[in-house]
Amino acid sequence: MVRRLLNCQRLLGMVVTMLCLLGIAAYSTMPRQEDPSFPYRAGLITVNYPGASADAVERLVLSPLADELRQVEEVDFSEGTARTGVAIVRVRLNDTIYDTDSAWDRVRQAMERARQDFPDDVGQMALDDRLIDIPAIVLAVGGSSSVTELTAVAERLKDNLADIPGVSRIDLEGDADEQITLALDDAALYRLGISPARVMDTLARRNQTIPGGFVVVNGRRLSVLPNSEFADIEAIRATPIQLPDGSQVPLAAAADVWRGPVEPRQPETWFDGERVVLVSIIMEEGSTDAIRFGERVRERVDQIRAEFRPHSVREMFFQPDKVEERLDNLAWSLLLSVLIIVAVVFIGMGLRMGLLVASILPMVALISVGLYDLGGGVLHQIAVIGMVISLGILIDNAIVIVENIQDHLDNGVRRLDALRQAVGELAGPLGASTGTTLAAFAPLLLSKGGTADFTRGVPVMIMLTLSVSYLLAISAVPLLAARFLKPRQPGRGDRLIGLARFLGGWVSRYPGRLIAGGSALVVISLAMTPFMAQQFFPNADRPRVIVELYLPEGTDQARTAEAAADLERSIRSQPEVLDVHRFVGFTGPTFYYNLQRAPQAPNRARLVIRTPTLEDTTGLIRWVRHHVNTQMPELDVTVGILGQGPPRAAPVEVRVYHADNQTRARAVEQIFSRLREVAGTVDVRHDLDIGVPSIAINVDDASAARHGLTRADVAQSLYGQSFGVIAERYRQEEDPIPLVLRSREGTSLSLSRLLSVNIYNEHGDAVPLSAIASVDTAWEPAVRYQRNGVRMNTVTANLRAGYSFSQALGELDAALALDPLPAGTRLEMGGDAEGSGDANSALLTAAPIGILLLLFFLLLQFNSFRRVGIILLTVPLATVGIIPGLVLSGSPFGFQSLLGVIALVGIVVNNAIVLLDVMDQELARGEAIRDAMRKAVERRTRPILLTTATTVAGLLPLAFSSSTLWPPMAWAIISGLLASTVLTLLVIPAVCTKLIRAPVPEPENAPA
């Protein structure tokens, strides 16, 4: 190998140079995002069933659909909501599914099978399987009090932006579809002797698209266009309606006709108090640079802005700015880490050796970026963090190689001989140590699920950089070292030689005491576990407060809009509030990947508040809670900031199951009361609804039959009076506009007026409703919830700063143990408990592969189970630093800390490998075990301390960064590595002196 290396120096230099240039080109052109993309595993099914109660929707739509979805193997779970007139089903695919398109095709097939069991009058059923699409840019179109006008302007803006490279699709939100309302005058209809059915029939015959053909004149075809469609609103008003006596009157004599927004009200959006329509631009992820995409959109908007005056086009959310800010901050952290590492290397190794070791940093970084881009990688914060973590690790191999070559040169060995001996001695141990580090990250690479998809960039980048660094360490670095290093002058020895000899003496003289001391430290650190807070993922570091408003089920959107506007006015009085965006009837655009998206509901609203700094959000959150509790107690709100990790409804979520509705309600109330008493919980709420009053129209079949009517005639007439029926469509514009036939009052119809309406039979005779039906009032559920077809309810809670979901659930369990739930009640934990369990299960599923790889590399190098066992002792020794480090730094233990522990395993094992490798070399020379370990400690103290120092130095910018995501991981690695390094130099050699006596014996050639 060394001979080939020496003969290919020029080729190797050219290859390394070209790969570095590839990295430079890749960095300047590769796509950029803030966060990784996720597979489309979340979907939303919406089924319209106009006029049906929540119970009827659940029984006739939701349950058959849930039965079919349970038979789709790719579906993990479905959560259904039945409201008056609509069924909404959230569908989540299994975490192991990455080919989501075929899975959603299976879901659509299940929907079609379920439709066969639906009643005939069930309306449209739609599946949105792109639920997690996040708009990169949200523009707000304002400048008019007419939502219809704003919608037309937004449509024009959408057309102007659609051809920008990188646009996936553009959606409008807060817009208003239009309808042409034909408000019938019931008294006029009765006086004229005509029925709504005759009006509908006349409109259908009058508004037809009938071709007139063409005629040929002088060899040219001329189209014949008969006037068979409505040309304008006046034509609709003038439509002649035939009376029973044969005369005609215009439609305007019996109905008011106007054009306006559809009814009932659609979701509304407000930008800092002004009614707007949103243009949400969704970018092609994985292939588009978000920063350049934002520049292109801004440039186009600036070009066309003058064309839209007096209307305004403003940026509500602009993700490219966040991407640039995040990547710039991480780039500075990366640069700072490099500078700190270089300084540590220069101090510890001197200028000449330090320069050689430091030269590997830019080479590995550039080559890794180039290979990452070739593999289709996207530059986002997770990938950059992976590179930051690997900075201190990737020069470990170079440090050991350069140190070894320098030692040989100091001993008078010729340059090429020093190179040969160094590569020959260290290629195997360094390969094993690199392999064990790769094995430690294998479970993260192979695990599946939302959490794994979010963090996968870390193992990918670390494994890539370590592989490249090993290859350079045994090829390019030895060639440079053999050429530029010089023998050191006698007397200018190692600055750490005194410390190394001191530690070696301790190992030789006091092995028993060192083992006892190390064991005691492990026990003490484990005893600190109860003081360590647990948190699945930390909150985000964006200065935005999210206020979720819930009014009772059955609340009209107009009341919700009024309550949200009142709360917004109060919030604006606070000095730390910069702007407020209000969304009514839905939860607005998902401008952040973690933001929970909810379907449209008239009783929901969301306020998004921006503050100057993240610290300002704490006081504002407390103020909003206090204000609502004291001034607006009728509102049910939750207040918090944006989170990290997989989306969830709340950190604490308890799902309650029981077959009996009343018993389940009692259990929910009990959990709700107990959870409110738990320390640290806020915004505790449940989804039990108080129900809504309903009017039961009891048709007397005999009386109805005498008048030529049926129950269906009554139902259709009542529905037409309030909500209206689509009589025809106006087709003179891009999108057909429905002509809705209803009463003048519509959904504002008074109760007395509703009971006095006329029902028309097939002959057009008017029959008063009171003549064929009686009226009762009843109280019925406004909403039903199911999970996988089983009824359930949910209790959720947010957490105050400093409290964890594990603490809250622990106190809840203790309270329920003293006051048990009703018999037969079953609980499921959602929120962070479920997310953490799923992520840990995914890791444990892939962990055996990582363990097998780790054992493979260790046994390949040492061929001794005893030595492998001793090396693995470094892992529990790392807990001496991990737990106290997290406790003292105030960092919670969560998935990010677990990520740090996994990285730590690969690092600390490396130190033990290079230590035992020297021990085996000394044993092979005939040294006694104590002398062998003493010499191993003396020879490896400086490389081990240097690699520890570079790793810790590289992570310091992350540990002290303003980000909420990465400090727990950095502190776990730093504290664990510092403690493990000291104990590896003392406890591991001490254990070796007790358990190892000789080199690994060669296989015995026994007689046959």
Side-chain angles (χ1 to χ4, degrees), residues 418-621:
L419 185 154
R420 292 188 183 94
Q421 292 181 30
V423 174
E425 292 172 0
L426 295 175
L430 293 182
S433 64
T434 302
T436 55
T437 307
L438 298 181
F441 285 98
L444 277 175
L445 181 69
L446 299 176
S447 61
K448 298 179 179 180
T451 305
D453 296 333
F454 180 73
T455 58
R456 183 162 288 117
V458 170
V460 167
M461 188 57 75
I462 291 178
M463 297 174 81
L464 182 59
T465 53
L466 289 185
S467 300
V468 173
S469 72
Y470 172 71
L471 294 175
L472 291 180
I474 62 172
S475 58
V477 172
L479 291 174
L480 293 173
R483 173 167 296 190
F484 294 107
L485 289 185
K486 296 179 179 180
R488 289 177 291 199
Q489 297 178 6
R492 295 184 57 190
D494 196 339
R495 300 173 186 174
L496 299 175
I497 192 65
L499 176 61
R501 288 173 178 170
F502 175 74
L503 296 178
W506 265 31
V507 169
S508 179
R509 290 192 298 270
Y510 312 115
R513 297 179 186 180
L514 293 174
I515 294 173
S519 302
L521 289 175
V522 171
V523 172
I524 292 172
S525 66
L526 292 176
M528 297 180 67
T529 303
F531 300 99
M532 185 172 57
Q534 293 187 34
Q535 185 183 48
F536 182 36
F537 269 91
N539 289 323
D541 53 2
R542 291 195 182 183
R544 293 188 186 273
V545 175
I546 311 299
V547 182
E548 305 282 4
L549 279 76
Y550 304 84
L551 275 76
E553 289 287 346
T555 302
D556 186 65
Q557 186 169 312
R559 173 70 188 101
T560 306
E562 180 183 350
D566 291 342
L567 180 57
E568 180 184 346
R569 280 192 292 271
S570 301
I571 290 174
R572 286 182 180 280
S573 66
Q574 298 306 297
E576 61 266 41
V577 174
L578 296 179
D579 53 50
V580 183
H581 305 316
R582 175 169 25 121
F583 311 104
V584 179
F586 77 135
T587 53
T590 51
F591 61 90
Y592 188 67
Y593 82 97
N594 181 269
L595 200 60
Q596 185 80 1
R597 180 175 174 181
Q600 294 182 9
N603 65 317
R604 286 291 309 271
R606 173 181 284 170
L607 303 180
V608 179
I609 309 161
R610 186 168 64 92
T611 61
T613 65
L614 186 62
E615 290 73 21
D616 294 323
T617 61
T618 304
L620 183 61
I621 289 173

Side-chain angles (χ1 to χ4, degrees), residues 855-856 858-873 916 995-996 1000-1001:
L855 295 175
F856 169 79
L858 291 176
L859 286 172
L860 182 66
Q861 174 62 27
F862 293 103
N863 193 28
S864 168
F865 285 113
R866 185 171 298 182
R867 285 164 171 77
V868 170
I870 293 173
I871 290 172
L872 293 179
L873 283 178
L916 266 66
L995 298 181
I996 294 176
V1000 179

